[in-house]
Amino acid sequence: MILSQQFVTKFAINNELSVFDQILQIAQQFCEEFQEQPQVMDFLFFNPTIIQVYQADNNDFNFLKEIKHLAQQVNPGILNDQQFFEQLWSFIQGYSLLIKNGVTTYDPQVVKVTLSQMVGGK
C-alpha cells in the first residue's frame, strides 16, 4: 500500500491545466515511469489485486477514477463514456507495456499526437 501511495503522490495532476493537458500529463508521467521503473509499475498496475479492481469497476482506485472523470470531459461522443475511457486507458497502458518490454522507447510526441487524435483535436 505504501508503494501505491508514493506513486499517487508523485503523480500530482496540475488542475490548472486544460482537461486535455491533464490527461497528457498523466499519460506522459505513466510512460516515463514505465521506462524508468518497469517492475514497480508492472506490479502497481498489473498485479492480480489491481486486475480485480479493474474487473469490479468500483471507485476504490482514486487514480483510475480521476482518469475516468477526465476522459468523460474530453469524450468526442463517438463512444459512450465507458468505451471512450477504455480506449484511452488501453492506449496509455498498451504504449507503456511496449516501452516496458523494450519494443519501443518513450516518445512524448507519439503520446501527444495520439491523444489529440482520440479526443478530436480538443
PDB file of all heavy atoms in Angstrom, residues 80-118:
ATOM      1  N   ASN A  80     -19.595   5.771 -25.959  1.00  0.00           N
ATOM      2  CA  ASN A  80     -20.108   6.215 -24.665  1.00  0.00           C
ATOM      3  C   ASN A  80     -18.918   6.446 -23.728  1.00  0.00           C
ATOM      4  O   ASN A  80     -17.778   6.087 -24.058  1.00  0.00           O
ATOM      5  CB  ASN A  80     -21.154   5.247 -24.099  1.00  0.00           C
ATOM      6  CG  ASN A  80     -20.582   3.910 -23.657  1.00  0.00           C
ATOM      7  OD1 ASN A  80     -19.501   3.809 -23.085  1.00  0.00           O
ATOM      8  ND2 ASN A  80     -21.330   2.847 -23.930  1.00  0.00           N
ATOM      9  N   ASP A  81     -19.158   7.045 -22.583  1.00  0.00           N
ATOM     10  CA  ASP A  81     -18.057   7.429 -21.691  1.00  0.00           C
ATOM     11  C   ASP A  81     -17.199   6.243 -21.263  1.00  0.00           C
ATOM     12  O   ASP A  81     -15.975   6.344 -21.221  1.00  0.00           O
ATOM     13  CB  ASP A  81     -18.589   8.156 -20.454  1.00  0.00           C
ATOM     14  CG  ASP A  81     -19.038   9.573 -20.765  1.00  0.00           C
ATOM     15  OD1 ASP A  81     -18.621  10.126 -21.812  1.00  0.00           O
ATOM     16  OD2 ASP A  81     -19.796  10.137 -19.952  1.00  0.00           O
ATOM     17  N   GLN A  82     -17.813   5.107 -20.949  1.00  0.00           N
ATOM     18  CA  GLN A  82     -17.049   3.934 -20.527  1.00  0.00           C
ATOM     19  C   GLN A  82     -16.192   3.408 -21.674  1.00  0.00           C
ATOM     20  O   GLN A  82     -15.017   3.093 -21.487  1.00  0.00           O
ATOM     21  CB  GLN A  82     -17.975   2.832 -19.992  1.00  0.00           C
ATOM     22  CG  GLN A  82     -17.244   1.583 -19.524  1.00  0.00           C
ATOM     23  CD  GLN A  82     -16.289   1.824 -18.364  1.00  0.00           C
ATOM     24  OE1 GLN A  82     -16.521   2.686 -17.505  1.00  0.00           O
ATOM     25  NE2 GLN A  82     -15.205   1.065 -18.318  1.00  0.00           N
ATOM     26  N   GLN A  83     -16.757   3.330 -22.861  1.00  0.00           N
ATOM     27  CA  GLN A  83     -15.994   2.851 -24.014  1.00  0.00           C
ATOM     28  C   GLN A  83     -14.836   3.786 -24.338  1.00  0.00           C
ATOM     29  O   GLN A  83     -13.725   3.337 -24.644  1.00  0.00           O
ATOM     30  CB  GLN A  83     -16.906   2.729 -25.236  1.00  0.00           C
ATOM     31  CG  GLN A  83     -17.937   1.634 -25.130  1.00  0.00           C
ATOM     32  CD  GLN A  83     -18.991   1.741 -26.217  1.00  0.00           C
ATOM     33  OE1 GLN A  83     -19.342   2.839 -26.665  1.00  0.00           O
ATOM     34  NE2 GLN A  83     -19.507   0.602 -26.649  1.00  0.00           N
ATOM     35  N   PHE A  84     -15.083   5.089 -24.245  1.00  0.00           N
ATOM     36  CA  PHE A  84     -14.016   6.045 -24.537  1.00  0.00           C
ATOM     37  C   PHE A  84     -12.908   5.948 -23.499  1.00  0.00           C
ATOM     38  O   PHE A  84     -11.726   5.965 -23.847  1.00  0.00           O
ATOM     39  CB  PHE A  84     -14.557   7.474 -24.610  1.00  0.00           C
ATOM     40  CG  PHE A  84     -13.496   8.474 -24.955  1.00  0.00           C
ATOM     41  CD1 PHE A  84     -12.964   8.519 -26.231  1.00  0.00           C
ATOM     42  CD2 PHE A  84     -13.008   9.346 -23.994  1.00  0.00           C
ATOM     43  CE1 PHE A  84     -11.949   9.420 -26.560  1.00  0.00           C
ATOM     44  CE2 PHE A  84     -12.002  10.245 -24.311  1.00  0.00           C
ATOM     45  CZ  PHE A  84     -11.473  10.283 -25.593  1.00  0.00           C
ATOM     46  N   PHE A  85     -13.287   5.821 -22.227  1.00  0.00           N
ATOM     47  CA  PHE A  85     -12.274   5.635 -21.181  1.00  0.00           C
ATOM     48  C   PHE A  85     -11.440   4.388 -21.478  1.00  0.00           C
ATOM     49  O   PHE A  85     -10.210   4.421 -21.384  1.00  0.00           O
ATOM     50  CB  PHE A  85     -12.916   5.515 -19.794  1.00  0.00           C
ATOM     51  CG  PHE A  85     -11.995   4.884 -18.797  1.00  0.00           C
ATOM     52  CD1 PHE A  85     -10.914   5.589 -18.292  1.00  0.00           C
ATOM     53  CD2 PHE A  85     -12.183   3.569 -18.404  1.00  0.00           C
ATOM     54  CE1 PHE A  85     -10.031   4.988 -17.404  1.00  0.00           C
ATOM     55  CE2 PHE A  85     -11.309   2.970 -17.522  1.00  0.00           C
ATOM     56  CZ  PHE A  85     -10.228   3.681 -17.014  1.00  0.00           C
ATOM     57  N   GLU A  86     -12.100   3.288 -21.837  1.00  0.00           N
ATOM     58  CA  GLU A  86     -11.372   2.048 -22.131  1.00  0.00           C
ATOM     59  C   GLU A  86     -10.414   2.234 -23.304  1.00  0.00           C
ATOM     60  O   GLU A  86      -9.293   1.734 -23.283  1.00  0.00           O
ATOM     61  CB  GLU A  86     -12.358   0.910 -22.409  1.00  0.00           C
ATOM     62  CG  GLU A  86     -13.095   0.466 -21.165  1.00  0.00           C
ATOM     63  CD  GLU A  86     -14.269  -0.453 -21.442  1.00  0.00           C
ATOM     64  OE1 GLU A  86     -14.575  -0.731 -22.639  1.00  0.00           O
ATOM     65  OE2 GLU A  86     -14.906  -0.891 -20.470  1.00  0.00           O
ATOM     66  N   GLN A  87     -10.830   2.977 -24.320  1.00  0.00           N
ATOM     67  CA  GLN A  87      -9.960   3.235 -25.464  1.00  0.00           C
ATOM     68  C   GLN A  87      -8.747   4.066 -25.030  1.00  0.00           C
ATOM     69  O   GLN A  87      -7.600   3.743 -25.375  1.00  0.00           O
ATOM     70  CB  GLN A  87     -10.743   3.968 -26.551  1.00  0.00           C
ATOM     71  CG  GLN A  87      -9.932   4.249 -27.798  1.00  0.00           C
ATOM     72  CD  GLN A  87     -10.712   5.060 -28.805  1.00  0.00           C
ATOM     73  OE1 GLN A  87     -11.384   6.030 -28.444  1.00  0.00           O
ATOM     74  NE2 GLN A  87     -10.616   4.682 -30.069  1.00  0.00           N
ATOM     75  N   LEU A  88      -9.002   5.114 -24.281  1.00  0.00           N
ATOM     76  CA  LEU A  88      -7.939   5.998 -23.812  1.00  0.00           C
ATOM     77  C   LEU A  88      -6.963   5.259 -22.896  1.00  0.00           C
ATOM     78  O   LEU A  88      -5.744   5.310 -23.093  1.00  0.00           O
ATOM     79  CB  LEU A  88      -8.570   7.185 -23.071  1.00  0.00           C
ATOM     80  CG  LEU A  88      -7.640   8.251 -22.542  1.00  0.00           C
ATOM     81  CD1 LEU A  88      -7.189   9.141 -23.687  1.00  0.00           C
ATOM     82  CD2 LEU A  88      -8.369   9.086 -21.492  1.00  0.00           C
ATOM     83  N   TRP A  89      -7.501   4.543 -21.921  1.00  0.00           N
ATOM     84  CA  TRP A  89      -6.669   3.832 -20.942  1.00  0.00           C
ATOM     85  C   TRP A  89      -5.920   2.685 -21.620  1.00  0.00           C
ATOM     86  O   TRP A  89      -4.777   2.405 -21.280  1.00  0.00           O
ATOM     87  CB  TRP A  89      -7.548   3.344 -19.794  1.00  0.00           C
ATOM     88  CG  TRP A  89      -6.817   2.846 -18.601  1.00  0.00           C
ATOM     89  CD1 TRP A  89      -7.011   1.648 -17.971  1.00  0.00           C
ATOM     90  CD2 TRP A  89      -5.781   3.503 -17.851  1.00  0.00           C
ATOM     91  NE1 TRP A  89      -6.171   1.530 -16.895  1.00  0.00           N
ATOM     92  CE2 TRP A  89      -5.407   2.655 -16.800  1.00  0.00           C
ATOM     93  CE3 TRP A  89      -5.141   4.722 -17.979  1.00  0.00           C
ATOM     94  CZ2 TRP A  89      -4.407   2.980 -15.880  1.00  0.00           C
ATOM     95  CZ3 TRP A  89      -4.151   5.061 -17.051  1.00  0.00           C
ATOM     96  CH2 TRP A  89      -3.797   4.193 -16.032  1.00  0.00           C
ATOM     97  N   SER A  90      -6.545   2.057 -22.602  1.00  0.00           N
ATOM     98  CA  SER A  90      -5.868   0.987 -23.348  1.00  0.00           C
ATOM     99  C   SER A  90      -4.659   1.520 -24.101  1.00  0.00           C
ATOM    100  O   SER A  90      -3.608   0.870 -24.145  1.00  0.00           O
ATOM    101  CB  SER A  90      -6.827   0.327 -24.341  1.00  0.00           C
ATOM    102  OG  SER A  90      -7.852  -0.322 -23.676  1.00  0.00           O
ATOM    103  N   PHE A  91      -4.803   2.689 -24.695  1.00  0.00           N
ATOM    104  CA  PHE A  91      -3.655   3.277 -25.386  1.00  0.00           C
ATOM    105  C   PHE A  91      -2.527   3.553 -24.387  1.00  0.00           C
ATOM    106  O   PHE A  91      -1.373   3.179 -24.616  1.00  0.00           O
ATOM    107  CB  PHE A  91      -4.010   4.568 -26.120  1.00  0.00           C
ATOM    108  CG  PHE A  91      -2.787   5.372 -26.460  1.00  0.00           C
ATOM    109  CD1 PHE A  91      -1.879   4.902 -27.400  1.00  0.00           C
ATOM    110  CD2 PHE A  91      -2.496   6.553 -25.795  1.00  0.00           C
ATOM    111  CE1 PHE A  91      -0.704   5.607 -27.684  1.00  0.00           C
ATOM    112  CE2 PHE A  91      -1.342   7.260 -26.068  1.00  0.00           C
ATOM    113  CZ  PHE A  91      -0.434   6.795 -27.015  1.00  0.00           C
ATOM    114  N   ILE A  92      -2.840   4.207 -23.283  1.00  0.00           N
ATOM    115  CA  ILE A  92      -1.806   4.571 -22.304  1.00  0.00           C
ATOM    116  C   ILE A  92      -1.122   3.318 -21.765  1.00  0.00           C
ATOM    117  O   ILE A  92       0.110   3.227 -21.741  1.00  0.00           O
ATOM    118  CB  ILE A  92      -2.405   5.418 -21.162  1.00  0.00           C
ATOM    119  CG1 ILE A  92      -2.879   6.773 -21.695  1.00  0.00           C
ATOM    120  CG2 ILE A  92      -1.386   5.612 -20.034  1.00  0.00           C
ATOM    121  CD1 ILE A  92      -3.718   7.575 -20.714  1.00  0.00           C
ATOM    122  N   GLN A  93      -1.906   2.326 -21.359  1.00  0.00           N
ATOM    123  CA  GLN A  93      -1.312   1.110 -20.819  1.00  0.00           C
ATOM    124  C   GLN A  93      -0.585   0.306 -21.898  1.00  0.00           C
ATOM    125  O   GLN A  93       0.509  -0.209 -21.652  1.00  0.00           O
ATOM    126  CB  GLN A  93      -2.375   0.239 -20.160  1.00  0.00           C
ATOM    127  CG  GLN A  93      -2.805   0.766 -18.819  1.00  0.00           C
ATOM    128  CD  GLN A  93      -3.583  -0.258 -18.038  1.00  0.00           C
ATOM    129  OE1 GLN A  93      -4.351  -1.035 -18.603  1.00  0.00           O
ATOM    130  NE2 GLN A  93      -3.381  -0.266 -16.751  1.00  0.00           N
ATOM    131  N   GLY A  94      -1.179   0.213 -23.064  1.00  0.00           N
ATOM    132  CA  GLY A  94      -0.544  -0.552 -24.132  1.00  0.00           C
ATOM    133  C   GLY A  94       0.789   0.041 -24.562  1.00  0.00           C
ATOM    134  O   GLY A  94       1.781  -0.680 -24.724  1.00  0.00           O
ATOM    135  N   TYR A  95       0.821   1.352 -24.739  1.00  0.00           N
ATOM    136  CA  TYR A  95       2.066   2.008 -25.116  1.00  0.00           C
ATOM    137  C   TYR A  95       3.109   1.840 -24.006  1.00  0.00           C
ATOM    138  O   TYR A  95       4.278   1.585 -24.276  1.00  0.00           O
ATOM    139  CB  TYR A  95       1.808   3.489 -25.420  1.00  0.00           C
ATOM    140  CG  TYR A  95       2.994   4.214 -26.009  1.00  0.00           C
ATOM    141  CD1 TYR A  95       3.554   3.821 -27.219  1.00  0.00           C
ATOM    142  CD2 TYR A  95       3.562   5.301 -25.349  1.00  0.00           C
ATOM    143  CE1 TYR A  95       4.646   4.494 -27.766  1.00  0.00           C
ATOM    144  CE2 TYR A  95       4.653   5.975 -25.886  1.00  0.00           C
ATOM    145  CZ  TYR A  95       5.184   5.567 -27.091  1.00  0.00           C
ATOM    146  OH  TYR A  95       6.277   6.238 -27.626  1.00  0.00           O
ATOM    147  N   SER A  96       2.657   1.926 -22.763  1.00  0.00           N
ATOM    148  CA  SER A  96       3.563   1.741 -21.627  1.00  0.00           C
ATOM    149  C   SER A  96       4.141   0.332 -21.598  1.00  0.00           C
ATOM    150  O   SER A  96       5.325   0.149 -21.290  1.00  0.00           O
ATOM    151  CB  SER A  96       2.827   2.018 -20.309  1.00  0.00           C
ATOM    152  OG  SER A  96       2.430   3.359 -20.246  1.00  0.00           O
ATOM    153  N   LEU A  97       3.331  -0.666 -21.934  1.00  0.00           N
ATOM    154  CA  LEU A  97       3.834  -2.041 -21.971  1.00  0.00           C
ATOM    155  C   LEU A  97       4.844  -2.234 -23.095  1.00  0.00           C
ATOM    156  O   LEU A  97       5.814  -2.984 -22.939  1.00  0.00           O
ATOM    157  CB  LEU A  97       2.683  -3.037 -22.090  1.00  0.00           C
ATOM    158  CG  LEU A  97       1.868  -3.236 -20.825  1.00  0.00           C
ATOM    159  CD1 LEU A  97       0.678  -4.154 -21.087  1.00  0.00           C
ATOM    160  CD2 LEU A  97       2.721  -3.778 -19.690  1.00  0.00           C
ATOM    161  N   LEU A  98       4.625  -1.571 -24.223  1.00  0.00           N
ATOM    162  CA  LEU A  98       5.622  -1.635 -25.295  1.00  0.00           C
ATOM    163  C   LEU A  98       6.946  -1.050 -24.821  1.00  0.00           C
ATOM    164  O   LEU A  98       8.021  -1.594 -25.112  1.00  0.00           O
ATOM    165  CB  LEU A  98       5.124  -0.880 -26.534  1.00  0.00           C
ATOM    166  CG  LEU A  98       3.941  -1.481 -27.283  1.00  0.00           C
ATOM    167  CD1 LEU A  98       3.480  -0.546 -28.393  1.00  0.00           C
ATOM    168  CD2 LEU A  98       4.286  -2.856 -27.836  1.00  0.00           C
ATOM    169  N   ILE A  99       6.876   0.034 -24.078  1.00  0.00           N
ATOM    170  CA  ILE A  99       8.082   0.655 -23.513  1.00  0.00           C
ATOM    171  C   ILE A  99       8.738  -0.303 -22.527  1.00  0.00           C
ATOM    172  O   ILE A  99       9.939  -0.557 -22.585  1.00  0.00           O
ATOM    173  CB  ILE A  99       7.737   2.003 -22.839  1.00  0.00           C
ATOM    174  CG1 ILE A  99       7.274   3.013 -23.884  1.00  0.00           C
ATOM    175  CG2 ILE A  99       8.928   2.537 -22.037  1.00  0.00           C
ATOM    176  CD1 ILE A  99       6.584   4.239 -23.310  1.00  0.00           C
ATOM    177  N   LYS A 100       7.938  -0.830 -21.610  1.00  0.00           N
ATOM    178  CA  LYS A 100       8.443  -1.739 -20.575  1.00  0.00           C
ATOM    179  C   LYS A 100       9.148  -2.944 -21.189  1.00  0.00           C
ATOM    180  O   LYS A 100      10.195  -3.375 -20.717  1.00  0.00           O
ATOM    181  CB  LYS A 100       7.302  -2.218 -19.688  1.00  0.00           C
ATOM    182  CG  LYS A 100       7.697  -3.291 -18.694  1.00  0.00           C
ATOM    183  CD  LYS A 100       6.452  -3.960 -18.116  1.00  0.00           C
ATOM    184  CE  LYS A 100       6.815  -5.194 -17.384  1.00  0.00           C
ATOM    185  NZ  LYS A 100       6.818  -6.404 -18.173  1.00  0.00           N
ATOM    186  N   ASN A 101       8.579  -3.481 -22.268  1.00  0.00           N
ATOM    187  CA  ASN A 101       9.123  -4.688 -22.887  1.00  0.00           C
ATOM    188  C   ASN A 101      10.209  -4.410 -23.917  1.00  0.00           C
ATOM    189  O   ASN A 101      10.668  -5.323 -24.598  1.00  0.00           O
ATOM    190  CB  ASN A 101       7.989  -5.511 -23.503  1.00  0.00           C
ATOM    191  CG  ASN A 101       7.089  -6.096 -22.431  1.00  0.00           C
ATOM    192  OD1 ASN A 101       7.560  -6.556 -21.403  1.00  0.00           O
ATOM    193  ND2 ASN A 101       5.795  -6.062 -22.662  1.00  0.00           N
ATOM    194  N   GLY A 102      10.622  -3.153 -24.043  1.00  0.00           N
ATOM    195  CA  GLY A 102      11.723  -2.811 -24.928  1.00  0.00           C
ATOM    196  C   GLY A 102      11.357  -2.826 -26.402  1.00  0.00           C
ATOM    197  O   GLY A 102      12.245  -2.817 -27.256  1.00  0.00           O
ATOM    198  N   VAL A 103      10.069  -2.843 -26.718  1.00  0.00           N
ATOM    199  CA  VAL A 103       9.645  -2.840 -28.114  1.00  0.00           C
ATOM    200  C   VAL A 103       9.854  -1.453 -28.710  1.00  0.00           C
ATOM    201  O   VAL A 103      10.168  -1.315 -29.886  1.00  0.00           O
ATOM    202  CB  VAL A 103       8.158  -3.273 -28.232  1.00  0.00           C
ATOM    203  CG1 VAL A 103       7.661  -3.159 -29.662  1.00  0.00           C
ATOM    204  CG2 VAL A 103       7.985  -4.688 -27.699  1.00  0.00           C
ATOM    205  N   THR A 104       9.690  -0.430 -27.882  1.00  0.00           N
ATOM    206  CA  THR A 104       9.898   0.947 -28.314  1.00  0.00           C
ATOM    207  C   THR A 104      10.445   1.749 -27.143  1.00  0.00           C
ATOM    208  O   THR A 104      10.459   1.269 -26.008  1.00  0.00           O
ATOM    209  CB  THR A 104       8.579   1.559 -28.846  1.00  0.00           C
ATOM    210  OG1 THR A 104       8.865   2.794 -29.498  1.00  0.00           O
ATOM    211  CG2 THR A 104       7.574   1.777 -27.739  1.00  0.00           C
ATOM    212  N   THR A 105      10.889   2.943 -27.421  1.00  0.00           N
ATOM    213  CA  THR A 105      11.273   3.860 -26.357  1.00  0.00           C
ATOM    214  C   THR A 105      10.229   4.966 -26.295  1.00  0.00           C
ATOM    215  O   THR A 105       9.557   5.269 -27.288  1.00  0.00           O
ATOM    216  CB  THR A 105      12.670   4.471 -26.600  1.00  0.00           C
ATOM    217  OG1 THR A 105      12.684   5.093 -27.880  1.00  0.00           O
ATOM    218  CG2 THR A 105      13.747   3.414 -26.523  1.00  0.00           C
ATOM    219  N   TYR A 106      10.107   5.543 -25.150  1.00  0.00           N
ATOM    220  CA  TYR A 106       9.097   6.567 -24.926  1.00  0.00           C
ATOM    221  C   TYR A 106       9.349   7.785 -25.803  1.00  0.00           C
ATOM    222  O   TYR A 106      10.434   8.333 -25.841  1.00  0.00           O
ATOM    223  CB  TYR A 106       9.087   6.960 -23.454  1.00  0.00           C
ATOM    224  CG  TYR A 106       8.246   8.169 -23.152  1.00  0.00           C
ATOM    225  CD1 TYR A 106       6.887   8.194 -23.475  1.00  0.00           C
ATOM    226  CD2 TYR A 106       8.800   9.300 -22.580  1.00  0.00           C
ATOM    227  CE1 TYR A 106       6.121   9.299 -23.220  1.00  0.00           C
ATOM    228  CE2 TYR A 106       8.033  10.417 -22.308  1.00  0.00           C
ATOM    229  CZ  TYR A 106       6.693  10.408 -22.634  1.00  0.00           C
ATOM    230  OH  TYR A 106       5.927  11.521 -22.381  1.00  0.00           O
ATOM    231  N   ASP A 107       8.321   8.201 -26.531  1.00  0.00           N
ATOM    232  CA  ASP A 107       8.371   9.390 -27.368  1.00  0.00           C
ATOM    233  C   ASP A 107       7.173  10.264 -26.999  1.00  0.00           C
ATOM    234  O   ASP A 107       6.032   9.922 -27.329  1.00  0.00           O
ATOM    235  CB  ASP A 107       8.315   9.008 -28.844  1.00  0.00           C
ATOM    236  CG  ASP A 107       8.424  10.199 -29.781  1.00  0.00           C
ATOM    237  OD1 ASP A 107       8.231  11.356 -29.331  1.00  0.00           O
ATOM    238  OD2 ASP A 107       8.686   9.970 -30.978  1.00  0.00           O
ATOM    239  N   PRO A 108       7.392  11.388 -26.306  1.00  0.00           N
ATOM    240  CA  PRO A 108       6.277  12.231 -25.883  1.00  0.00           C
ATOM    241  C   PRO A 108       5.404  12.708 -27.031  1.00  0.00           C
ATOM    242  O   PRO A 108       4.193  12.903 -26.860  1.00  0.00           O
ATOM    243  CB  PRO A 108       6.942  13.423 -25.192  1.00  0.00           C
ATOM    244  CG  PRO A 108       8.370  13.106 -25.057  1.00  0.00           C
ATOM    245  CD  PRO A 108       8.684  11.923 -25.914  1.00  0.00           C
ATOM    246  N   GLN A 109       5.970  12.861 -28.209  1.00  0.00           N
ATOM    247  CA  GLN A 109       5.207  13.324 -29.364  1.00  0.00           C
ATOM    248  C   GLN A 109       4.170  12.279 -29.790  1.00  0.00           C
ATOM    249  O   GLN A 109       3.060  12.630 -30.183  1.00  0.00           O
ATOM    250  CB  GLN A 109       6.147  13.683 -30.523  1.00  0.00           C
ATOM    251  CG  GLN A 109       5.459  14.380 -31.672  1.00  0.00           C
ATOM    252  CD  GLN A 109       4.903  15.757 -31.307  1.00  0.00           C
ATOM    253  OE1 GLN A 109       5.266  16.364 -30.311  1.00  0.00           O
ATOM    254  NE2 GLN A 109       3.985  16.241 -32.124  1.00  0.00           N
ATOM    255  N   VAL A 110       4.532  11.013 -29.706  1.00  0.00           N
ATOM    256  CA  VAL A 110       3.585   9.941 -30.042  1.00  0.00           C
ATOM    257  C   VAL A 110       2.383  10.005 -29.101  1.00  0.00           C
ATOM    258  O   VAL A 110       1.234   9.906 -29.549  1.00  0.00           O
ATOM    259  CB  VAL A 110       4.263   8.552 -29.961  1.00  0.00           C
ATOM    260  CG1 VAL A 110       3.234   7.430 -30.034  1.00  0.00           C
ATOM    261  CG2 VAL A 110       5.297   8.401 -31.061  1.00  0.00           C
ATOM    262  N   VAL A 111       2.640  10.207 -27.832  1.00  0.00           N
ATOM    263  CA  VAL A 111       1.557  10.281 -26.850  1.00  0.00           C
ATOM    264  C   VAL A 111       0.673  11.491 -27.125  1.00  0.00           C
ATOM    265  O   VAL A 111      -0.553  11.378 -27.191  1.00  0.00           O
ATOM    266  CB  VAL A 111       2.117  10.330 -25.408  1.00  0.00           C
ATOM    267  CG1 VAL A 111       1.014  10.561 -24.393  1.00  0.00           C
ATOM    268  CG2 VAL A 111       2.879   9.052 -25.093  1.00  0.00           C
ATOM    269  N   LYS A 112       1.278  12.636 -27.348  1.00  0.00           N
ATOM    270  CA  LYS A 112       0.512  13.862 -27.571  1.00  0.00           C
ATOM    271  C   LYS A 112      -0.342  13.779 -28.828  1.00  0.00           C
ATOM    272  O   LYS A 112      -1.530  14.107 -28.807  1.00  0.00           O
ATOM    273  CB  LYS A 112       1.458  15.068 -27.647  1.00  0.00           C
ATOM    274  CG  LYS A 112       0.743  16.379 -27.766  1.00  0.00           C
ATOM    275  CD  LYS A 112       1.719  17.543 -27.701  1.00  0.00           C
ATOM    276  CE  LYS A 112       0.950  18.868 -27.698  1.00  0.00           C
ATOM    277  NZ  LYS A 112       1.852  19.999 -27.516  1.00  0.00           N
ATOM    278  N   VAL A 113       0.237  13.326 -29.922  1.00  0.00           N
ATOM    279  CA  VAL A 113      -0.499  13.251 -31.191  1.00  0.00           C
ATOM    280  C   VAL A 113      -1.623  12.220 -31.103  1.00  0.00           C
ATOM    281  O   VAL A 113      -2.755  12.475 -31.540  1.00  0.00           O
ATOM    282  CB  VAL A 113       0.462  12.922 -32.363  1.00  0.00           C
ATOM    283  CG1 VAL A 113      -0.296  12.543 -33.618  1.00  0.00           C
ATOM    284  CG2 VAL A 113       1.387  14.107 -32.619  1.00  0.00           C
ATOM    285  N   THR A 114      -1.347  11.068 -30.512  1.00  0.00           N
ATOM    286  CA  THR A 114      -2.350  10.025 -30.400  1.00  0.00           C
ATOM    287  C   THR A 114      -3.521  10.478 -29.540  1.00  0.00           C
ATOM    288  O   THR A 114      -4.688  10.318 -29.924  1.00  0.00           O
ATOM    289  CB  THR A 114      -1.740   8.727 -29.841  1.00  0.00           C
ATOM    290  OG1 THR A 114      -0.674   8.322 -30.693  1.00  0.00           O
ATOM    291  CG2 THR A 114      -2.779   7.623 -29.750  1.00  0.00           C
ATOM    292  N   LEU A 115      -3.214  11.063 -28.382  1.00  0.00           N
ATOM    293  CA  LEU A 115      -4.297  11.561 -27.515  1.00  0.00           C
ATOM    294  C   LEU A 115      -5.094  12.663 -28.187  1.00  0.00           C
ATOM    295  O   LEU A 115      -6.317  12.711 -28.096  1.00  0.00           O
ATOM    296  CB  LEU A 115      -3.738  12.044 -26.176  1.00  0.00           C
ATOM    297  CG  LEU A 115      -3.185  10.951 -25.249  1.00  0.00           C
ATOM    298  CD1 LEU A 115      -2.608  11.585 -23.990  1.00  0.00           C
ATOM    299  CD2 LEU A 115      -4.245   9.935 -24.902  1.00  0.00           C
ATOM    300  N   SER A 116      -4.413  13.533 -28.900  1.00  0.00           N
ATOM    301  CA  SER A 116      -5.099  14.605 -29.606  1.00  0.00           C
ATOM    302  C   SER A 116      -6.056  14.045 -30.654  1.00  0.00           C
ATOM    303  O   SER A 116      -7.192  14.514 -30.797  1.00  0.00           O
ATOM    304  CB  SER A 116      -4.075  15.542 -30.260  1.00  0.00           C
ATOM    305  OG  SER A 116      -4.724  16.587 -30.930  1.00  0.00           O
ATOM    306  N   GLN A 117      -5.613  13.031 -31.377  1.00  0.00           N
ATOM    307  CA  GLN A 117      -6.479  12.403 -32.370  1.00  0.00           C
ATOM    308  C   GLN A 117      -7.662  11.698 -31.716  1.00  0.00           C
ATOM    309  O   GLN A 117      -8.772  11.743 -32.242  1.00  0.00           O
ATOM    310  CB  GLN A 117      -5.674  11.407 -33.209  1.00  0.00           C
ATOM    311  CG  GLN A 117      -4.695  12.074 -34.139  1.00  0.00           C
ATOM    312  CD  GLN A 117      -3.784  11.078 -34.848  1.00  0.00           C
ATOM    313  OE1 GLN A 117      -3.652   9.927 -34.460  1.00  0.00           O
ATOM    314  NE2 GLN A 117      -3.139  11.538 -35.911  1.00  0.00           N
ATOM    315  N   MET A 118      -7.437  11.115 -30.559  1.00  0.00           N
ATOM    316  CA  MET A 118      -8.517  10.410 -29.867  1.00  0.00           C
ATOM    317  C   MET A 118      -9.627  11.359 -29.408  1.00  0.00           C
ATOM    318  O   MET A 118     -10.806  10.998 -29.430  1.00  0.00           O
ATOM    319  CB  MET A 118      -7.973   9.636 -28.662  1.00  0.00           C
ATOM    320  CG  MET A 118      -7.114   8.455 -29.044  1.00  0.00           C
ATOM    321  SD  MET A 118      -6.378   7.663 -27.615  1.00  0.00           S
ATOM    322  CE  MET A 118      -7.757   6.659 -27.099  1.00  0.00           C
TER     323      MET A 118
END
